[in-house]
Each structure stands twice: as structure tokens, then as C-alpha cells.
Amino acid sequence: MTGMVALYIFMLAAFTGYEVISRVPVILHTPLMSGSNFVHGIVLVGAMVALGAARTPLEKVIGVIGVLLAAGNAVGGYVVTERMLEMFKASGARRKPPGTH
Amino acid sequence: MPADSAALIIQGSYFLTAVLFIIGLKRMSSPVSARSGILWAGAGMLVATLVTFLYPGLSNYTLILPAMLVGAALAWWSGKRVAMTDMPQMIALYNGMGGGAAAAIAAVELYGGDAQGYAGSALAVAGGLIGAVSFAGSAIAFGKLQGLIKRSLRFRGQQILNLLLLLAALGCGTVLAAHLDASPALVSALFVLALVLGLTMTLPIGGADMPVVISLYNALTGLAVGFEGFVLNNAAMIIAGTVVGSAGTLLTQLMARAMNRSLGNVLFSGFGDTGAAATGTVSGSLKPIDAADVGVMMAFAQKVIIVPGYGMAVAQAQHKIWELCQLLIERGVTVRFAIHPVAGRMPGHMNVLLAEAGVPYDLIADLEEINAEFETADVALIIGANDVVNPVARTDKSSPIYGMPILNADKAKNVIVIKRGQGAGFSGIENALFYLDNTRMLYGDAQKVAAELIQAVKAVG
């Protein structure tokens, strides 16, 4: 990938992110922040590659920390987002709150 | 497997991942499809992670797998366990971990001297710097929301210190990026400076501004991941990181605008615990009331507007409140929920909780929709909300929250405030609403009080 192509990818991705979010209702701000928090968990693949190429003990230690943190970002981000979005059920499928009649 | 076909599979899978992420985020931006959005994005993550094991020349599997499993297990366990009310700080925590991972990648590249050319090392430095700031800052944000850090540390010359730290870090980074010196000591200095900067930047920011700060760090982590993607020549990281970087920036702006504050204001003005000075301007007294009286008042009201806040979240009162509302609706009372954009600790926080309790969307109104309706409401029931209904924001130019759009609950005929104690709100500012002639205070835990109100309304028959 040449520098110029990378720059184009960067530019297009930036506009994509802006477009995807620009008309989002307030009720989804928190889930969406959580969802985008999950998406940058992709740092996991980078951390895997960095640790996979680590040679010295120092690099290995930092690499292990990186993979550990990145896995936490990805998995934690997923679990929290899923739990939040779980509540956005269609109105027909709503469970009744306890104690109603 | 030959290296060529492995590379092809990896590149194709990363492309697929990028597509799945974008579809996932798009679906998450509409309430109807939001739930499937995370599944799409999750599938993308799974594909990318699995295929990365095929990476040509990848070694240290015995380190990668345990580190991955431990990190994933801890996050899974904590994410499943955490209460809905504590979600904001968990987002801060996981976001900080992502920033730390980006910084770790940069550290491995810089210590090992692997970054290619000037552009490669400059991006590694930039991503590492941003990632480390986000890591330390998010950790502080987590500590503050979790209640581990109670005070906002402020001292004279703090902004100057931050500026000096930033300049020093940029100085180290420039030397590294220009390949003038690549000594491990300099790399270490860069990261130490960035971590300290993250701490000192976030410590003075008051709790009320934390949502905006977390959103900002979320965007920064995205950017850092994108930069490290360039260094590693990894398209999936570039696209995902950049999309989050720009989406997060926009989200941060939307949140700051909802609070009528600029980002610079949030980061550099340090407000949150400074309200002590404003207490003198409030006159009148706090007038308590019984749940039984409030029950009768609401049972015979035409229209009741509920204003939920963080107090409702803390007490987990949303189910009881909805039960109460259903009783009132059965009696023919018009009930509406008024949600301030920054009620709770994050925009949309209250909506999530009300959705959990099963409140239909059409009963929930946002600030612009509902504000004119308060004048026609018989009762405005404030449940653990404070700053978002403080009329001082309209009247007192000296108040730190002056100019913030608020819910005009004070315009209702009767205002009932459910509140745990007599303390000030999260911003530390005394609330003039509580002292108004038409306001009554109903002290107690929101869930218990709601249960008492249910009994009181039932007793009316």
C-alpha cells in the first residue's frame, strides 16, 4: 500500500464515519459510543502482529500487555454494547415490568 | 500454506471486516436495526482476529493466546457483571484499554526500530502519544465515575504545566520521527510524558463533563488505532480506526452542543466542584412533603411530566416509576417523560434505562418537544435530576452552568423533587428550583419512594 493510497483510504473512512453518525437520534448516542468503542477494538489484530514480531524480552512484555488490553477492549466493548442494545426491542416484544396487571 | 495465498486470504478478510464494521455502525444508528448492528460488527471482529493467526512470520503464539484469553475473559466477566447504571465508566475503561493497546504497538515498533521511513515513525509516534493520553485519561475518567477519585485536582498554573508536558512530548516525538535519535530512553520519555499529560489533563475536569470527555477519548483512541494501522500497513485498522475517529469527533461535538459548551470550555475551564461560591444567591427554604400527599396530587392531576436523572439510575427505580405511571395512565392522567440531552452520566443514558423498564417511545420526549408543555402540567416529578432543571442556568450569569439549555420544570404548577439527601448536584451548584414556592421535596431512595407513591395512588382507589 503506497502512502498516497493510504491517504485516500484515510480520507474516505473519515467521511464515512461522519456520514454514518450524522443523523443519529439522541437515544442512541450512548449505545453508539459504546459500539464505536467496540469497533476500535480492531487494535487487537495490530497488537497480535506486533507481539508476533517481538524479539527482545522488553518488546515481548509490552506486546503481551498490548494484546491483553486490546482483547479487553474488543470483548468488553462487545458485551457492554450488546447488553445496552438488548433493550431496544420492538414494542410488540416488550416484556411486562414486574407487578403490572 | 504458502505465504502468497495466506496474504490474499488475510487482505480479503480485512476488507470484509471493514465492510461489516461500517454496516454494523450504520445499523446501530437507527433504533429499529440497532440490535443487529453489534452482531454485524462482532462478526467482522471475529473474522479479522481468526485470520490474523495466519499472518506470515507470526511467532510467539504461546504468548499471544494466553494474553488474549486472559484479557477477553476479564472483560467478558466484568462486562456481564456490571450494572446498567455503571455502563458509562465501563465504556471509559474498555476505551482506555484500546488506547493502551495502540500505545503498546507504537512502543514495540519504536523500541525495535521497526517503523518504516519518516512517515512510519512519525505516525507510530503520533499514535503512541494519542493512545497513551487516551489510556491515562480514560483511567481517570473511570476512577471518577466509579467514585474511586472523589476530588478534582486543581492548582495554579495547571494549564501551563499541561502545555509544557505536551510540548516536551511533541519534542521527544519530533526527534524520534526525524530519526535524529532512537534511543530507548527517549522512547520511554515520550510515553511517560504522554501518560502524565493524560492524567493532568483529566484530573481537573468535573464529573458533569465526563460524558463529553469519554466520547473525546473514544475518538482519540480510534485515531491512534488508525495511525498504528498505517505503521503496520493494516487496512482494517486504518479504516475502523479512522471511522471511529471521525464518528467519535462528531458525537463529542453533538454532546458538547447539547450542554451548550464548547470542547475547549470542557477541557480547559475545569468546572464541577466550583459551585460553592454560587450558594449565596439562593433564597427561600426547602419544603418537605409526604409520599401520600404526592400520590393524591398525582392521582387527581390532568398531566404529569416525569424528569428522570442520575438518581433514578442509581436507585434502579425505572421499573417502579413505570409501574406508577401505568397506574396514573389507567386513571386517565396524561404522563410524559422529559429527557434532557445530558441527563444521567451520558446522552441517552435515561432512554436506555426507560427502554429497559418497557416505557414506550411515544411517552418519551426530548427537551425541545416538551419544554413548552411544562406550563400546562399539574405536576413535574423530578427523580434524582438536578443540574438539568436548575433555573439558575437561565438567570444567573455568574453560574458555571449559565446558558445550558434546561428543562423548564419550574413552570409546572407543582414541582415534586425526589432526592436522596440535601446535597448539591453533580456539578456542586446549589439548585434554585428546590427553593421555589411551588416546589416540595420528597426525600428518600427513588425506588422506595416510587413504591410508596404506588401505594398512595392505589389507596386513592
Side-chain angles (χ1 to χ4, degrees):
Chain A
M1 191 168 13
T2 67
M4 225 32 225
V5 173
L7 206 60
Y8 275 110
I9 295 178
F10 185 77
M11 182 269 292
L12 291 171
F15 278 111
T16 306
Y18 201 87
E19 275 305 308
V20 164
I21 302 290
S22 56
R23 277 177 300 276
V24 64
V26 175
I27 57 163
L28 283 171
H29 277 180
T30 299
L32 199 60
M33 189 202 305
S34 180
S36 60
N37 176 39
F38 163 68
V39 165
H40 68 51
I42 191 70
V43 71
L44 177 58
V45 304
M48 287 166 72
V49 172
L51 176 55
R55 291 173 302 262
T56 66
L58 175 67
E59 287 172 35
K60 284 182 186 169
V61 169
I62 299 171
V64 166
I65 294 172
V67 171
L68 197 110
L69 292 176
N73 181 185
V75 173
Y78 183 86
V79 171
V80 167
T81 310
E82 205 218 3
R83 280 186 56 190
M84 243 183 242
L85 291 175
E86 185 63 23
M87 292 159 192
F88 286 85
K89 285 181 180 146
S91 35
R94 238 171 243 294
R95 68 192 154 82
K96 278 196 146 189
T100 47
H101 45 93
Chain B
M1 192 182 304
D4 277 357
S5 52
L8 201 65
I9 292 172
I10 289 169
Q11 294 308 327
S13 304
Y14 283 174
F15 181 79
L16 180 67
T17 297
V19 174
L20 288 170
F21 277 167
I22 292 169
I23 294 176
L25 279 177
K26 184 70 205 166
R27 294 187 75 86
M28 270 185 247
S29 57
S30 153
V32 185
S33 57
R35 288 177 72 214
S36 65
I38 186 65
L39 298 177
W40 285 77
M45 188 72 75
L46 197 64
V47 168
T49 310
L50 290 178
V51 87
T52 302
F53 280 107
L54 303 176
Y55 220 84
L58 198 76
S59 59
N60 295 332
Y61 283 101
T62 48
L63 293 175
I64 293 176
L65 271 175
M68 228 166 109
L69 290 178
V70 170
L74 283 177
W76 181 271
W77 175 75
S78 58
K80 284 282 181 202
R81 225 178 113 256
V82 64
M84 222 53 219
T85 36
D86 293 340
M87 286 295 174
Q89 54 260 47
M90 291 318 281
I91 298 178
L93 184 67
Y94 298 137
N95 174 56
M97 293 170 94
I105 295 171
V108 171
E109 299 292 320
L110 290 171
Y111 280 122
D114 296 327
Q116 309 266 308
Y118 292 117
S121 40
L123 286 166
V125 166
L129 181 64
I130 296 170
V133 168
S134 173
F135 174 69
S138 299
I140 298 294
F142 169 79
K144 286 201 170 199
L145 290 178
Q146 188 73 15
L148 302 173
I149 304 169
K150 297 237 165 55
R151 304 177 132 267
S152 294
L153 180 76
R154 264 181 228 122
F155 51 87
R156 277 167 163 279
Q158 196 156 20
Q159 302 304 342
I160 298 168
L161 175 74
N162 288 350
L163 188 68
L164 288 177
L165 282 168
L166 178 65
L167 288 176
L170 285 176
C172 288
T174 311
V175 172
L176 285 168
H179 297 191
L180 296 174
D181 182 4
S183 63
L186 195 64
V187 178
S188 307
L190 171 73
F191 285 108
V192 170
L193 285 168
L195 289 172
V196 174
L197 176 62
L199 296 181
T200 57
M201 249 177 77
T202 321
L203 275 172
I205 299 174
D209 282 334
M210 270 312 150
V212 182
V213 174
I214 295 173
S215 177
L216 176 71
Y217 285 137
N218 184 40
L220 286 179
T221 302
L223 200 61
V225 171
F227 284 166
E228 297 310 325
F230 280 109
V231 178
L232 297 171
N233 216 354
N234 185 317
M237 279 173 74
I238 299 178
I239 294 171
T242 312
V243 166
V244 172
S246 78
T249 308
L250 181 60
L251 205 53
T252 311
Q253 282 173 342
L254 291 176
M255 288 184 191
R257 206 177 301 150
M259 299 166 74
N260 197 29
R261 284 159 70 66
S262 73
L263 204 51
N265 211 327
V266 169
L267 288 178
F268 304 120
S269 77
F271 113 77
D273 305 306
T274 51
T279 48
T281 59
V282 178
S283 60
S285 61
L286 295 168
K287 298 166 283 292
I289 192 170
D290 286 339
D293 294 341
V294 177
V296 173
M297 188 193 284
M298 290 202 298
F300 292 104
Q302 295 277 316
K303 185 185 217 172
V304 173
I305 298 181
I306 316 259
V307 182
Y310 192 59
M312 183 185 84
V314 170
Q316 295 285 350
Q318 61 269 27
H319 296 282
K320 285 283 174 213
I321 295 291
W322 175 227
E323 198 182 331
L324 171 68
C325 292
Q326 283 173 312
L327 280 176
L328 292 174
I329 292 167
E330 277 169 29
R331 295 184 60 92
V333 181
T334 307
V335 177
R336 302 212 61 189
F337 288 85
I339 312 284
H340 190 276
V342 293
R345 287 294 179 269
M346 273 193 171
H349 196 180
M350 292 300 124
N351 302 78
V352 170
L353 294 177
L354 292 177
E356 184 198 14
V359 179
Y361 286 123
D362 49 345
L363 295 188
I364 302 175
D366 62 23
L367 187 121
E368 287 91 28
E369 281 176 73
I370 198 89
N371 246 353
E373 289 192 31
F374 277 106
E375 287 172 27
T376 62
D378 300 297
V379 180
L381 183 66
I382 321 278
I383 307 161
N386 198 333
D387 297 327
V388 297
V389 289
N390 192 344
V392 160
R394 282 200 308 259
T395 53
D396 184 2
K397 283 209 168 89
S398 66
S399 170
I401 60 167
Y402 178 73
M404 181 172 99
I406 58 155
L407 290 164
N408 297 329
D410 54 320
K411 301 268 168 72
K413 279 188 207 102
N414 296 288
V415 181
I416 305 296
V417 180
I418 299 179
K419 201 166 176 303
R420 221 158 20 157
Q422 305 201 349
F426 206 52
S427 72
I429 302 160
E430 202 64 50
N431 195 333
L433 175 71
F434 300 168
Y435 297 87
L436 292 178
D437 290 337
N438 56 341
T439 303
R440 294 291 178 275
M441 306 299 288
L442 185 50
Y443 291 113
D445 172 84
Q447 185 165 217
K448 273 199 201 117
V449 168
E452 286 167 26
L453 288 176
I454 290 168
Q455 292 312 316
V457 172
K458 277 184 181 160
V460 172

